[in-house]
Amino acid sequence: MIDERDIFEIVAKQAKVEPSALTSDVLLSDLELQSIDVVELVFAIEEKFDIQVPYSPSDQDSAGISFKSVGEIIEAVNKLVAEQHPAKA
């Protein structure tokens, strides 16, 4: 299982807010992230957790991955780490 604080830090950096201002139910749309910010968020997550995220800005629910809220990001990253690195899960 991943450390959720890592996700909060990555999202906070992209949204230019303090990690303490985030909760699992915060929507990315409420953080006023532009599509390029979300793409950079995905890249940062891929790099941090050494995973491939099947994410497409035009189909944000592709492959069962939803990045609408911080909590959904945490769930998706946990799922992808478990699938792609079973020893780390």
Side-chain angles (χ1 to χ4, degrees):
M1 183 161 269
I2 65 165
D3 186 343
E4 294 179 3
R5 292 177 293 187
D6 291 332
I7 299 294
F8 283 106
E9 289 176 12
I10 292 169
V11 173
K13 181 177 179 183
Q14 287 302 317
K16 297 173 182 64
V17 299
E18 290 296 319
S20 61
L22 300 175
T23 62
S24 293
D25 57 344
V26 169
L27 300 174
L28 296 188
S29 59
D30 292 341
L31 297 173
E32 299 180 12
L33 293 174
Q34 303 298 314
S35 59
I36 188 69
D37 297 321
V38 177
V39 171
E40 289 176 359
L41 175 71
V42 170
F43 287 150
I45 288 170
E46 288 180 329
E47 184 176 322
K48 173 69 179 176
F49 298 102
D50 189 27
I51 58 174
Q52 294 293 316
V53 176
Y55 177 83
S56 170
S58 61
D59 182 10
Q60 295 190 8
D61 292 321
S62 61
I65 302 298
S66 177
F67 273 29
K68 293 179 182 156
S69 71
V70 175
E72 288 180 351
I73 294 172
I74 292 168
E75 289 176 21
V77 172
N78 273 318
K79 176 183 172 187
L80 292 169
V81 169
E83 291 173 355
Q84 296 176 25
H85 301 288
K88 293 181 182 179

